[in-house]
Amino acid sequence: MNRKAPTASRAQGWGRIYFAVQAVAGLAWWVGVFLSPAIRTATLGSLDPVAVAAFDIPLFVIASGVAAFGVRAATVVAAGWTGLVAVALAIYATITSEAGWGVLIMLAAAACSMVALFFVVQGRVPTELIVRGPFAFRPASNRRSTAANVGATMGQLILFWGFFLVVLPSAIWWIERRWNVSLPFPSAAPPAGFVVLVLASSLGIASAVTMSSAGGGTPLPSAMPNRLVIAGPYKWVRNPMAVAGISQGAAVGLMLGSWLVVAYAVIGSLLWNYAVRPHEEADLERRFGTEFQRYRDSVRCWIPRLRGN
């Protein structure tokens, strides 16, 4: 408890600082809206700024300022209103093709406000909720054969790659153009993205096969390997499948010429690194003890080693 209290206190401080910055930024944005037609059009489209300001200034700007003093009710109001505005603007932009940049700003503000809300109220973000229920870590059945594990892993790759590398990026690409927030890409981006996609996919397949054959399980949390895998790509980096997946997402973004898809890959890497990885590695340490500790100390998480074990 003595070690956790300062950490919670620091988190609460950072949450309050965020709300203070949000209040100042929100006020500056409203000044820009009323002084600059370009800012008003890019962020609000054809919406009446006076009508929007009547609600947004007290519920966003003022509430964020009050939240900066640690008033919990104000943090809930500011975060809740920010999320509501983000959703409403997204619907408006999708229907009208206006205010796309305003949507992106409010989506970012909504996500950061939610994190700041948890910091102020709980002193931490309850990331453990991610690994509960169907996503809780469970070892695979020892009765499954290696062929069954490899087959299940390949099926998982098809489903996950289809959703996260085809369906979601296609939707993001469409939204990016519908909201008129596209940015130009160099002509070399698509072929470079294709090369990265091939290399990253090869790494992903090699890592998945190694995990399922040497570990006696699958990449899914509900059927984790029964043995610590330190062979193949895992000799060089602790999380080669994560490296492959993030690189694949960025590569698809380059191929589509979509900066939002590239951002989607980067955000995914941050979520995995800070929200999922600590729980995954804690589970590995519980199950494999000093064997995993030695592995963790000798093999890096993201940057490959120059030589194997």
Side-chain angles (χ1 to χ4, degrees):
M1 291 295 294
N2 292 334
R3 289 186 297 177
K4 291 182 179 179
T7 301
S9 179
R10 284 195 296 269
Q12 290 170 342
W14 281 113
R16 292 170 61 180
I17 289 172
Y18 171 79
F19 279 115
V21 172
Q22 180 167 273
V24 173
L27 181 60
W29 172 64
W30 273 114
V31 171
V33 166
F34 284 108
L35 294 181
S36 171
I39 294 177
R40 183 166 60 249
T41 300
T43 57
L44 287 180
S46 302
L47 293 173
D48 182 358
V50 176
V52 178
F55 292 94
D56 195 69
I57 290 178
L59 296 175
F60 179 69
V61 178
I62 296 177
S64 295
V66 176
F69 291 95
V71 180
R72 294 188 175 188
T75 65
V76 174
V77 170
W81 174 254
T82 306
L84 180 63
V85 171
V87 172
L89 265 183
I91 295 172
Y92 173 78
T94 303
I95 294 173
T96 65
S97 294
E98 296 179 350
W101 290 106
V103 178
L104 296 181
I105 292 171
M106 293 309 297
L107 286 173
C112 293
S113 293
M114 186 58 64
V115 173
L117 169 65
F118 280 119
F119 277 179
V120 172
V121 174
Q122 297 188 10
R124 55 184 290 274
V125 178
T127 55
E128 68 277 2
L129 297 177
I130 298 175
V131 292
R132 288 185 178 176
F135 301 104
F137 296 117
R138 302 182 186 89
S141 172
N142 286 317
R143 292 175 294 181
R144 295 179 63 174
S145 65
T146 299
N149 285 324
V150 172
T153 298
M154 292 299 102
Q156 292 168 18
L157 284 186
I158 293 172
L159 290 175
F160 277 80
W161 287 5
F163 182 73
F164 289 105
L165 298 178
V166 178
V167 176
L168 273 185
S170 297
I172 294 171
W173 175 85
W174 182 85
I175 286 173
E176 182 178 313
R177 278 146 184 78
R178 182 64 181 172
W179 292 354
N180 290 315
V181 293
S182 300
L183 296 175
F185 270 58
S187 58
F194 177 77
V195 172
V196 173
L197 180 63
V198 171
L199 295 176
S201 298
S202 300
L203 173 62
I205 292 173
S207 303
V209 171
T210 300
M211 175 180 285
S212 56
S213 58
T218 76
L220 278 185
S222 59
M224 295 287 285
N226 289 284
R227 297 178 293 276
L228 183 64
V229 180
I230 57 176
Y234 293 88
K235 293 172 59 177
W236 307 94
V237 65
R238 292 206 307 273
N239 297 281
M241 292 196 68
V243 173
I246 293 160
S247 300
Q248 286 173 310
V252 171
L254 293 176
M255 293 172 64
L256 293 174
S258 169
W259 73 272
L260 274 185
V261 174
V262 175
Y264 149 78
V266 174
I267 293 171
S269 71
L270 295 175
L271 287 174
W272 186 87
N273 189 62
Y274 293 106
V276 178
R277 183 174 66 87
H279 299 291
E280 181 182 81
E281 295 196 342
D283 174 73
L284 291 171
E285 186 170 1
R286 281 193 299 269
R287 292 198 290 134
F288 300 113
T290 56
E291 183 184 8
F292 173 74
Q293 292 173 0
R294 288 194 299 269
Y295 174 64
R296 181 184 56 197
D297 293 340
S298 61
V299 178
R300 296 172 179 172
C301 178
W302 291 104
I303 303 175
R305 299 183 62 192
L306 296 179
R307 58 187 179 84
N309 290 338

